[in-house]
């Protein structure tokens, strides 16, 4: 599992879902949780975290959002050498195979279908960590 000190950026246009994910994460032991309402705000926060030397260690983002959606945020992150390897967990109601394939091709670390339950989030965090943890 990600270290409890990991800074986690939760991105969703619905405040209630950001709050729910934040509550789940806090119950799992995480304390450094920041939120963004869309991909544009999230990307700015990532850039600021790099400048301020308070790096984000995991992004949990919704797919469907205004301004900059989750898949486009993921593509921006993967195109930036500073964030290329940043773990990215995509949450969405999109479970059709072409959407999953698009997310994988875009470099998603893991994928979670809504509605998200705390146990599912914990499992996805464990699997995501297994993919990215240092050797």
């Amino acid at each position: 599992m990600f270290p409890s000190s990991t800074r986690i950026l939760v991105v969703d246009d619905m405040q209630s879902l950001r709050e729910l994910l934040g509550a789940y994460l806090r119950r799992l032991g995480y304390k450094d949780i920041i939120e963004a309402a869309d991909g544009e705000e999230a990307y700015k926060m990532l850039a600021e975290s790099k400048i301020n030397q308070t790096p984000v260690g995991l992004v949990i983002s919704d797919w469907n959002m205004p301004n900059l959606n989750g898949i486009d945020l993921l593509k921006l992150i993967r195109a930036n050498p500073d964030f290329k390897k940043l773990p990215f967990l995509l949450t969405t109601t999109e479970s059709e195979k072409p959407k999953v394939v698009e997310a994988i091709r875009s470099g998603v670390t893991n994928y979670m279908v809504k509605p998200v339950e705390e146990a599912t989030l914990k499992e996805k965090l464990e699997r995501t960590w297994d993919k990215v943890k240092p050797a």
Side-chain angles (χ1 to χ4, degrees), residues 7 12 25 35-36 42 80 88 92 116 119 132-133 135:
R7 185 166 220 215
D12 198 301
L25 290 165
E35 299 178 2
N80 184 326
F88 195 106
T92 184
V116 176
V132 301
K133 68 184 172 190

Side-chain angles (χ1 to χ4, degrees), residues 3-124:
S4 61
S5 60
T6 302
R7 185 166 220 215
I8 301 174
L9 174 56
V10 176
V11 190
D12 198 301
D13 57 321
M14 292 186 63
Q15 183 176 350
S16 60
L17 287 174
R18 292 194 309 270
E19 290 172 357
L20 180 66
L21 284 171
Y24 288 167
L25 290 165
R26 280 187 286 286
R27 283 201 295 262
L28 292 170
Y30 299 99
K31 294 171 183 61
D32 194 355
I33 302 161
I34 56 176
E35 299 178 2
D38 61 42
E40 282 182 4
E41 183 182 354
Y43 198 75
K44 288 176 189 170
M45 291 174 83
L46 283 173
E48 288 170 10
S49 74
K50 174 99 172 110
I51 292 166
N52 297 334
Q53 296 182 351
T54 55
V56 169
L58 170 66
V59 175
I60 301 175
S61 177
D62 185 28
W63 185 312
N64 296 308
M65 297 179 291
N67 301 323
L68 183 68
N69 67 34
I71 200 77
D72 290 336
L73 171 62
L74 172 61
K75 290 174 183 177
L76 267 179
I77 287 171
R78 293 296 179 248
N80 184 326
D82 289 334
F83 308 124
K84 189 176 181 92
K85 295 188 185 280
L86 179 63
F88 195 106
L89 179 56
L90 192 62
T91 65
T92 184
T93 56
E94 308 285 347
S95 59
E96 301 87 31
K97 188 174 181 179
K99 293 287 190 181
V100 174
V101 169
E102 180 182 3
I104 291 168
R105 285 189 177 145
S106 298
V108 75
T109 314
N110 215 324
Y111 193 90
M112 190 166 41
V113 178
K114 291 180 179 180
V116 176
E117 298 294 330
E118 187 172 345
T120 305
L121 176 61
K122 182 178 186 219
E123 177 202 342
K124 293 293 183 172

